[in-house]
């Protein structure tokens, strides 16, 4: 019976596709250790996974080391149930923010997991933006730039393991910062005990190209359906004997490319060509602007260990040239680890230094100086090479070449002259002391600090659309976070009962200052100094400081090595809340029962039940309790905040329940994990409108309640395992459902609820009782009772007067599947992941459709009179409906039906399947490495985002918008293309 059961399970797994690769000996070790695997939990405490009453997932070093990316966090996408790595496709630094189990708060910055590096909590949301919105067309100003965040400071080679602690129960001891779970990163330490020095060298080369392009049309050129005297469509750059100028439009509703000749732009004369020229498309006039990006990374490591001392040092240099010309970065990281063991005293010191330098990072969003803006406005009949000189003859640094519209900046000027430079130093370090008084008492003291010193410089030349006389800005950012922890522990072991009691406290001090100086207008073009400024804006230092002090305790009980109970309690005092409310207490309790041990099941099998409860509190942002003033754009002047303070703010409260089942059978060859969680967040801090006569626009209150619940499934196993061949497969699936329980009383009767966020003035994220966070509202098509589109008497769509829910930014479910094969010394690995449903609104799609740039706009163009009739009905005077018969120009149809405000027609299903990564590697056998006097040597070829299936018509359905410093999912406002990566990694140890 047992053999039949194994056969059935093997056949089932064989019919699935996916998994991971590892050496035979490594797979044996993982299989034997899996049930008793040790993971790092809150405060850096190491625990056996079987003792945990909450979900924790360990990701090993191989995931990050063998296939290196610009941001190591993206390697976890699709491999951990409930985990989402949010990026904005905004540049090579690829700022990543990690979410666990969806949205719990209407405040975007409160939805991310805590990052803990070697026991030191760091803030992944601390990165400051440019102060510019993603949508700024026609409003002047600037655009967001992705300057990276703390995750960029970590070299993937330095990662030993990452433990994902999901939910407030798992990270309860971190208080408000751990309410959304924690990512526990452990970096490598020195190994060995014989004092022999181990020298390692790693070389990584990778190449990036655009993953997916929109489906452009190259059948029609620039124009607006203008006809000549004979009634034929024509084109003329500037007025000519053929007719009036048609060369200043951004639309592509001009003549078809059929071998005709027109007066066109001539780059030699920088004006109308002296003779008619062949009317033809330039099919590489957008794609040809982008390069194949390259990243070269080289590391050298030194490590050794003795009985009482170990150390490890790793130095890495990375050089990146991104897909956008003249963009990229250089990064140097140094990771140093020292460990001391003096009998009762153990000391660990770890320090990470990272310098990131770039002469230029691309701006993103929809505004004159973004490359996406140029991509949208570029017409099929325009040669990209015409822009390459950048400057008009005799007008170097004074007047750019942009012959078709003064609103569209030259793409080469954007890339080479509109630069966004950065020089950033990140320093993260800490010292941990553990003193063992006796077998029962020990004390731990940890002190850590995170420093960021960042200098930015932005240059905008003369004649740019938003800065006619140029612009120069320097920004200096200084961030410091200090963390100190003290933990005293007592443990005692009896025959059947073991327990450990710990108590301690922590202090966190966060300080941040930003200085900015702007040169508005340049006296002499091309000279970027403040001495050359026409007007100088000096913004005084703007601080952002707060403190949190905490005390906590925990009890760990173990009975029969099969029943575990953990109880924690924590109290915070935060400077961001008034004294009467600044203290808040929250507990947690978790338990796990190893039924397989109690029932004496087969050795190597596991049946575990787990459950947990946790409650945590949140402070708020600083400077919300009384009146403060902010530096203005004018020297020695300040402005009053438009947000009315509230001296009675209370902490936001998060309550989390979780239950799960862990199963391992067939001697741990098949593993299954199930988790259900239920989370409530209440007492959120809202800004609601007030009368303008008050001098404020909004006031702060506490209100609202949100429920977040979901299910996570994980399955892993070995369908086949022998000395010559091993196949391992792992899969995960998660679904999260969010519900708004209550909102401020002022909005509970409003059909559109409370608007807590918006992007681009088109998409609004509204909280409506009974709805979900992520619900996207906007204008849609008017329809009759049968669902037909209603048209007006002018032939255009009838306009809705009330916004409606269009969809939700988040998927119904996500899944990932990974396959690993080992054939002796060859490792093959590939993984797929995807999501089902959710929607993405695309500003890019709106504008390219309005202008006739996409292939789907070819429909109706073959009509003889250039007109069409919208499919649908018109409403008659008596309220009845009849078919629409009014003809309108094809160009008017597309500009109206897909107008920016129509969120419905510019939103698309966000479902996708991606070949997320693939790798084939070879580990050289000992017979070769020993003959070369090497410890080990390996080489691997890898790829990331190699293939994608989706119905989303633009770049990537995982699109998110970088809006100042926020990353908003479900919206594409001028996003840059996402990329596929192919690379080669070589590793050797001496």
């Amino acid at each position: 019976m047992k053999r039949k059961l194994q056969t059935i399970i093997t056949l089932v797994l064989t019919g699935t596709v996916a998994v991971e690769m590892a050496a035979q000996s490594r797979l044996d070790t993982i299989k034997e250790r899996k049930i008793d695997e040790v993971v790092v939990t809150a405060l850096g405490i190491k625990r056996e996974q079987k003792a945990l009453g909450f979900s924790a997932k360990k990701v090993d070093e191989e995931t990050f080391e063998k296939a290196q990316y610009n941001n190591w966090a993206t390697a976890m996408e699709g491999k951990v149930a409930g985990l989402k790595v949010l990026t904005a496709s905004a540049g090579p630094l690829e700022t990543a923010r990690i979410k666990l189990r969806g949205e719990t708060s209407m405040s975007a910055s409160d939805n991310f997991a805590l990052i803990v590096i070697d026991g030191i909590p760091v803030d992944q949301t601390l990165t400051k933006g440019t102060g510019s919105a993603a949508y700024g067309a026609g409003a002047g100003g600037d655009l967001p730039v992705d300057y990276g965040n703390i995750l960029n400071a970590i070299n993937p080679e330095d990662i030993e393991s990452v433990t994902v602690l999901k939910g407030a129960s798992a990270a309860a001891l971190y208080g408000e910062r751990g309410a959304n779970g924690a990512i526990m990163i452990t970096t490598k330490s020195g190994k060995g005990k014989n004092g022999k020095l181990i020298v390692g060298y790693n070389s990584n080369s990778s190449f990036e190209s655009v993953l997916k392009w929109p489906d452009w049309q190259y059948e029609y050129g620039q124009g607006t359906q203008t006809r000549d005297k004979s009634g034929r469509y024509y084109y003329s750059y500037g007025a000519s004997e053929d007719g009036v100028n048609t060369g200043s439009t951004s639309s592509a509703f001009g003549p078809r490319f059929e071998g005709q000749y027109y007066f066109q732009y001539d780059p030699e004369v920088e004006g109308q060509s002296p003779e008619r020229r062949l009317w033809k498309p330039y099919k590489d006039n957008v794609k040809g602007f982008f390069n194949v990006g390259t990243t070269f990374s080289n590391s050298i490591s030194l490590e050794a260990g003795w009985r009482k001392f170990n150390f490890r040092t790793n130095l890495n240099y990375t050089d990146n040239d991104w897909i956008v010309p003249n963009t990229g970065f250089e990064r140097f990281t140094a990771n140093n680890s020292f460990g001391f063991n003096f009998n009762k005293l153990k000391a660990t010191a770890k320090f990470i230094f990272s310098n990131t330098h770039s002469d230029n990072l691309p701006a993103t969003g929809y505004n004159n100086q973004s490359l996406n803006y140029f991509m949208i406005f570029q017409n099929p009949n325009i040669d990209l090479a015409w822009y390459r000189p950048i400057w008009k003859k005799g007008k170097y640094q004074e007047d750019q070449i942009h012959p078709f519209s003064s609103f569209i900046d030259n793409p080469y000027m954007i890339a080479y002259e509109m630069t966004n430079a950065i020089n950033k130093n990140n320093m993260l370090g800490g010292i941990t002391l553990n003193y063992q008084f006796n077998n029962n008492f020990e004390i731990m003291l940890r002190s850590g600090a995170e420093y960021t010193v960042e200098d930015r410089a932005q240059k905008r030349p003369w004649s740019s659309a938003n800065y006619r006389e140029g612009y120069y800005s320097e920004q200096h950012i200084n961030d410091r976070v200090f963390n100190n922890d003290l933990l005293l522990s007592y443990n005692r072991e009896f025959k059947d009962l073991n327990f450990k009691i710990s108590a301690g406290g922590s202090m966190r001090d966060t300080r941040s200052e930003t200085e900015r100086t702007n040169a508005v207008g340049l006296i002499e073009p091309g000279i970027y100094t403040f001495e050359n400024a026409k007007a100088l804006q000096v913004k005084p230092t703007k601080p952002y400081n707060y403190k949190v002090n905490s005390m906590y305790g925990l009890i760990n009980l173990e009975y029969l090595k099969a029943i575990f109970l953990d109880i924690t309690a924590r109290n915070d005092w935060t400077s961001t809340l008034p004294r009467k409310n600044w203290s808040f207490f929250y507990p947690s309790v978790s338990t796990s029962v190893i039924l397989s041990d109690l029932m004496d099941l087969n050795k190597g099998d596991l049946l575990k039940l787990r459950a947990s409860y946790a409650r945590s509190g949140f402070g708020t942002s600083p400077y919300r309790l009384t009146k403060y003033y902010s530096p203005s754009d004018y020297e020695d002047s300040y402005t009053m905040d438009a947000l009315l303070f509230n001296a009675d703010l209370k902490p936001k409260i998060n309550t989390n329940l979780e239950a799960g089942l862990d199963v391992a059978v067939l001697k741990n060859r098949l593993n299954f994990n199930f988790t259900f969680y239920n989370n409530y967040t209440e007492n959120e801090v809202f800004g609601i409108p007030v009368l303008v006569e008050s001098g404020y626009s909004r006031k702060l209150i506490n209100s609202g309640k949100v429920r977040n619940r979901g299910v996570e499934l994980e399955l892993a196993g070995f369908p086949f395992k022998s000395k010559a061949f091993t196949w391992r497969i792992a899969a995960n699936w998660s679904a999260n459902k969010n519900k708004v329980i209550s909102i401020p009383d002022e909005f509970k009767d409003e059909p559109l609820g409370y608007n807590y966020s918006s992007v681009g003035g088109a998409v609004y994220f509204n909280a409506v009782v009974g709805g979900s966070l992520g619900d996207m509202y906007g204008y849609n098509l008017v329809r009759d009772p049968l669902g037909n589109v209603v048209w007006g008497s002018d032939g255009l769509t009838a306009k809705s007067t009330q916004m409606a829910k269009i969809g939700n930014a988040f998927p119904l479910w996500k899944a990932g599947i990974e396959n690993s094969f080992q054939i002796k010394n060859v490792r093959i690995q590939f993984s797929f992941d995807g999501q089902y449903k959710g929607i993405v609104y695309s500003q890019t799609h709106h504008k390219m459709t309005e202008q006739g740039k996409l292939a789907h706009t070819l429909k109706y163009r073959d009509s003889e009179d250039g007109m069409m009739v919208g499919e649908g009905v018109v409403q008659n005077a008596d309220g009845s409906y009849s078919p629409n018969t009014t003809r309108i120009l094809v160009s008017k149809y597309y500009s109206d039906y897909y107008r920016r405000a129509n969120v419905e027609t510019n939103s698309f299903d966000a479902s996708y399947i991606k070949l997320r990564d693939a790798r084939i590697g070879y580990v050289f056998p000992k017979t070769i490495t020993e003959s070369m006097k090497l410890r080990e040597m390996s080489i691997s070829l890898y790829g990331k985002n190699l293939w994608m299936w989706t119905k989303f018509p633009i770049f990537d359905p995982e699109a998110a918008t970088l809006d100042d410093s926020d990353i908003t999912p479900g919206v594409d406002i001028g996003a840059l293309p996402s990329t596929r990566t192919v690379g080669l990694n070589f590793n050797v140890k001496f």
Side-chain angles (χ1 to χ4, degrees), residues 920-984:
I920 180 169
Y922 181 73
V923 178
F924 290 83
K926 285 188 176 181
T927 54
I928 295 179
T929 55
E930 289 178 353
S931 67
M932 300 173 67
K933 297 183 177 181
L934 301 176
R935 290 177 180 267
E936 60 183 63
M937 184 168 61
S938 63
I939 189 170
S940 60
L941 177 68
Y942 67 88
K944 173 190 174 186
N945 292 337
L946 295 174
W947 170 84
M948 174 174 65
W949 170 87
T950 182
K951 294 181 179 179
F952 184 62
I954 307 300
F955 296 119
D956 195 327
E958 287 189 280
T961 291
L962 183 64
D963 199 29
D964 191 11
S965 59
D966 291 331
I967 301 178
T968 304
V971 182
D972 157 31
I973 304 287
L976 291 167
S978 59
T979 61
R980 67 165 57 87
T981 302
V982 175
L984 184 69

Side-chain angles (χ1 to χ4, degrees), residues 237-250:
Y237 181 80
S240 69
E241 58 191 80
D242 292 339
V244 299
N245 174 35
T246 65
S248 297
T249 179
S250 299

Side-chain angles (χ1 to χ4, degrees), residues 643 686-690 697-701 744 746-747 754:
L643 189 64
F686 288 86
I688 65 172
V690 295
S697 62
R698 303 171 80 84
K699 69 176 181 180
L700 291 169
I701 64 167
E746 292 85 345
F747 299 93
Y754 171 76

Side-chain angles (χ1 to χ4, degrees), residues 314-381:
N314 184 283
L315 303 177
N316 170 268
Y317 174 73
T318 299
D319 184 21
N320 169 273
D321 287 314
W322 203 50
I323 59 172
V324 173
N326 196 43
T327 64
F329 66 90
E330 295 174 285
R331 182 169 60 216
F332 170 77
T333 61
N335 188 306
N336 299 284
S337 172
F338 304 93
F340 304 87
N341 186 350
F342 302 111
N343 296 322
K344 291 187 176 183
L345 176 65
K346 294 181 180 180
T348 302
K350 291 193 174 186
F351 303 95
I352 300 172
F353 170 79
S354 172
N355 171 261
T356 301
H357 173 82
S358 175
D359 292 327
N360 186 29
L361 294 169
T364 184
Y366 184 79
N367 202 336
N368 308 65
Q369 63 265 41
S370 79
L371 287 169
N372 181 279
Y373 196 83
F374 168 78
M375 282 191 289
I376 290 171
F377 281 77
Q378 173 74 318
N379 264 302
N381 55 291

Side-chain angles (χ1 to χ4, degrees), residues 566-582:
D566 294 346
I567 302 171
T568 75
R570 177 173 173 129
N571 199 97
D572 282 354
W573 292 265
T574 175
S575 66
T576 64
L577 293 175
R579 184 178 293 270
K580 62 183 178 181
N581 296 326
W582 71 354

Side-chain angles (χ1 to χ4, degrees), residues 711-724:
V711 173
E712 297 168 347
L713 303 174
E714 293 182 321
L715 179 69
F718 294 88
F720 191 89
K721 182 171 173 52
S722 69
K723 291 184 178 180

Side-chain angles (χ1 to χ4, degrees), residues 101-104 655-658 675-681 706-712 734-741 772 811-812:
R101 298 178 171 175
E103 306 280 300
T104 61
T655 305
N656 179 267
L657 285 167
E658 179 182 318
T675 302
F676 168 80
Y677 59 88
N678 192 64
N679 190 92
Y680 285 94
T681 303
V706 175
R707 186 188 71 198
N708 199 57
R709 63 170 51 156
V711 173
E712 297 168 347
S734 61
N736 184 81
K737 179 63 176 174
N738 188 281
K739 185 176 181 179
V740 177
I741 306 298
S772 301
L812 295 179

